């Protein structure tokens, strides 16, 4: 059997196929019944490439209580968590004590009252202060008389109307009376009488000679009152402390740092303070690192100072201190509540004219309630910072419900 006819048929079929699929012969392909070439799938339109948007107007945003913030740079640090206790600043605690024997005649301040430096807290009646004031007045009068005599004798001696010896004696006597006056004045100051009160003694009523005012040495609040009206105070085993005043506008945080972590701690480091049941966060600085270790706990006392202008941090409260060990500057930081997970990726909601646009981001290091954004977000953009769960829920709804 000859294969030549079969070969000719195969060559003819290949030629026809090539002609059918050659450019410019669509009509021939249609004539022989060959299906037209299917067009390639077109690329997605720009509308399909847009990121999802949660459509919300300002009214709905307000009703959802979504806080908006403009992101920017911030500090991110690795921190060491240490338990601590709030304590009064030792330099802002004053124990008001008496320096003489007497009786409490008047109490002007009570526990919890706010006082200013120099304000009168109480008044005492004391024979000791009466004697000291009387001694001062007598010394003052004697000094004035002797100074006048010394001045007169000096004029007489200069006019050769009196011998020099008389002037010398008057001058010595004037020096002695001036010294006695200064001693009497210093005694009053030691008893707690102020300069302006001493200056006003010659014009003061006689009944005030036995009275002594007790004043606040610092501004703050009265934390304790030790006496009542009529209480005998002073020496001879009597009560000497009348009040305790505390200024809580600045407090200490006492920390116990283990010996293994102590090499990482230095004075001047920043400390973030959080308390149980307190939503606020405060910041302070380490002001003291003890060179000694406690025998029982093998830990060192570390003191951090922080401002407390509104008095929310009360002494005795237990807190957690996060000590910044190594700190760096991040270009963009956001609140931790701004991040959500959508379809397995971390996203934030960026404010747009229609609502909030979903954008994927790459988080970096976290520092407490803020987190660094390594990429995907630029400084100056406005994002939803709180209640972002509601935005995530809106995003998951079917489109026909939008």
């Amino acid at each position: 059997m000859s294969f030549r006819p079969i070969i000719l048929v195969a060559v003819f079929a290949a030629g026809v196929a090539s002609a059918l699929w050659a450019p410019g012969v669509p009509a021939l392909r249609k004539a022989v019944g060959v299906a037209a070439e299917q067009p390639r799938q077109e690329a997605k339109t720009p509308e399909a490439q847009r990121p999802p948007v949660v459509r919300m107007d300002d009214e709905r945003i307000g009703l959802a209580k979504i806080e908006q913030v403009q992101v920017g740079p911030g500090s991110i640090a690795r921190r060491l968590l240490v338990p601590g206790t709030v304590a009064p600043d030792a330099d802002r605690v004053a124990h008001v004590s008496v320096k003489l024997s007497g009786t409490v005649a008047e109490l002007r301040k009570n526990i919890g009252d706010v006082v200013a430096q120099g304000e009168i807290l109480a008044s005492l009646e004391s024979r000791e202060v009466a004697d000291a004031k009387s001694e001062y007045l007598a010394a003052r009068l004697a000094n004035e008389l002797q100074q006048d005599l010394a001045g007169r004798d000096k004029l007489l001696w200069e006019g050769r109307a009196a011998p020099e010896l008389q002037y010398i004696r008057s001058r010595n006597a004037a020096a002695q009376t001036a010294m006695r006056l200064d001693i009497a004045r210093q005694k009053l100051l030691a008893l707690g009488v102020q300069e302006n009160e001493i200056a006003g003694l010659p014009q003061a009523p006689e009944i005030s000679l036995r009275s002594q005012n007790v004043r606040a040495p610092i501004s703050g609040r009265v934390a304790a009152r030790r006496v009542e009206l009529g209480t005998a105070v002073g020496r001879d085993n009597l009560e000497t402390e009348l009040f305790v005043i505390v200024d809580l506008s600045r407090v200490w945080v006492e920390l116990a740092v283990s010996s293994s972590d102590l090499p990482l701690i230095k004075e001047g480091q920043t400390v973030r303070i959080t308390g149980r049941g307190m939503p606020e966060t405060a910041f302070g600085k380490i002001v003291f690192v003890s060179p000694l270790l406690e025998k029982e706990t093998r830990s060192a006392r570390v003191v951090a100072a922080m401002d407390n202008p509104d008095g929310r941090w009360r002494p005795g409260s237990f807190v957690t201190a996060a000590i910044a060990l190594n700190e760096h500057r991040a270009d963009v930081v956001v609140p931790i509540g701004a991040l959500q997970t959508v379809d397995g990726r971390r996203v934030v909601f960026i404010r747009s004219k229609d609502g909030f646009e979903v954008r994927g981001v790459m988080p970096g290091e976290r520092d407490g309630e803020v987190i660094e954004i390594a990429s995907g977000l630029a400084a100056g953009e406005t994002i939803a910072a709180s209640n972002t769960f509601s935005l995530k829920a809106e995003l998951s709804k079917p489109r026909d419900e939008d």
Side-chain angles (χ1 to χ4, degrees):
M1 181 177 179
S2 175
F3 291 98
R4 185 174 181 182
I6 297 176
I7 294 174
L8 292 175
V9 170
V11 171
F12 176 77
V16 171
S18 298
L20 287 174
W21 294 107
V25 288
L28 179 60
R29 291 197 297 268
K30 185 174 180 182
V32 297
V34 179
E37 181 183 3
Q38 296 294 328
R40 293 185 179 181
Q41 187 177 0
E42 295 182 358
K44 293 184 178 179
T45 63
E47 291 288 337
Q49 294 177 350
R50 289 181 180 177
V53 175
V54 179
R55 300 186 180 277
M56 298 182 74
D57 55 18
D58 292 337
E59 183 179 358
R60 288 187 62 191
I61 293 174
L63 292 175
K65 297 181 179 180
I66 299 173
E67 181 184 0
Q68 303 177 62
V69 297
Q70 190 176 50
V71 299
S75 297
I76 299 292
R78 184 172 65 89
R79 299 182 184 269
L80 173 67
L81 298 182
V82 180
T85 306
V86 179
D89 188 332
D91 296 330
R92 296 170 182 252
V93 178
H95 297 266
V96 184
S97 302
V98 294
K99 303 175 182 179
L100 49 82
S101 298
T103 304
V104 178
E106 182 183 7
L107 289 171
R108 298 191 183 183
K109 297 297 179 180
N110 208 338
I111 295 177
D113 290 345
V114 178
V115 298
Q117 185 178 10
E119 190 174 358
I120 297 176
L121 304 175
S123 180
L124 308 177
E125 285 189 355
S126 171
R127 186 175 64 181
E128 185 178 354
V129 76
D131 293 342
K133 289 180 179 180
S134 299
E135 181 182 343
Y136 170 80
L137 290 174
R140 183 176 182 274
L141 180 59
N143 181 65
E144 288 178 352
L145 293 174
Q146 191 59 50
Q147 295 298 330
D148 289 342
L149 288 174
R152 187 199 64 176
D153 289 344
K154 180 181 180 182
L155 291 175
L156 292 175
W157 170 68
E158 290 176 348
R160 299 184 182 276
E164 183 181 5
L165 182 60
Q166 180 180 338
Y167 165 63
I168 292 174
R169 288 175 178 173
S170 297
R171 187 181 63 184
N172 290 340
Q176 291 178 9
T177 56
M179 182 178 63
R180 293 191 188 99
L181 176 62
D182 187 62
I183 291 174
R185 175 177 166 276
Q186 293 296 331
K187 185 176 181 180
L188 287 176
L189 291 173
L191 291 175
V193 183
Q194 294 190 340
E195 287 279 7
N196 60 335
E197 294 176 330
I198 296 175
L201 281 178
Q203 294 79 32
E206 185 178 351
I207 192 174
S208 66
L209 293 179
R210 65 176 182 267
S211 178
Q212 170 62 26
N213 293 325
V214 179
R215 298 179 181 272
I218 63 172
S219 299
R221 295 188 67 187
V222 178
R225 196 189 77 182
R226 310 295 189 191
V227 295
E228 305 296 336
L229 284 175
T231 303
V233 296
R235 295 181 290 272
D236 302 328
N237 297 324
L238 298 177
E239 182 67 62
T240 58
E241 185 176 275
L242 305 185
F243 299 91
V244 178
I245 300 176
V246 181
D247 179 9
L248 296 180
S249 62
R250 186 176 177 85
V251 294
W252 282 356
V253 179
E254 302 272 358
L255 307 174
V257 179
S258 64
S259 57
S260 59
D261 295 327
L262 201 57
L264 304 174
I265 308 302
K266 297 178 180 61
E267 294 180 2
Q269 285 177 315
T270 303
V271 181
R272 186 181 65 238
I273 308 298
T274 55
R276 183 180 303 175
M278 295 188 66
E280 297 86 0
T281 299
F283 290 88
K285 285 188 178 296
I286 294 177
V287 296
F288 174 73
V289 179
S290 176
L292 305 177
L293 294 178
E294 295 288 340
K295 293 182 179 179
E296 294 80 10
T297 61
R298 306 302 299 169
S299 62
R301 176 174 176 253
V302 176
V303 177
M306 70 174 180
D307 293 330
N308 186 33
D310 51 7
R312 294 184 181 181
W313 300 94
R314 297 179 179 272
S317 303
F318 294 106
V319 297
T320 300
I323 305 173
L325 301 181
N326 53 357
E327 194 169 4
H328 70 275
R329 191 74 172 170
D331 294 334
V332 178
V333 295
V334 301
I336 191 66
L339 279 179
Q340 289 293 337
T341 301
V342 176
D343 296 332
R345 61 176 185 150
R346 305 306 298 273
V347 301
V348 295
F349 295 88
I350 300 177
R351 187 72 168 96
S352 64
K353 62 179 182 179
D354 297 324
F356 289 97
E357 175 187 312
V358 181
R359 184 184 297 177
V361 295
M362 180 179 293
E365 296 184 28
R366 177 176 176 176
D367 184 2
E369 296 302 315
V370 298
I371 188 169
E372 176 186 8
I373 300 299
S375 64
L377 193 61
E381 293 186 285
T382 301
I383 66 170
S386 63
N387 290 334
T388 52
F389 281 107
S390 60
L391 296 175
K392 180 179 178 180
E394 288 288 334
L395 189 66
S396 62
K397 288 182 179 180
R399 293 189 176 275
D400 59 352
E401 294 182 15
D402 289 344

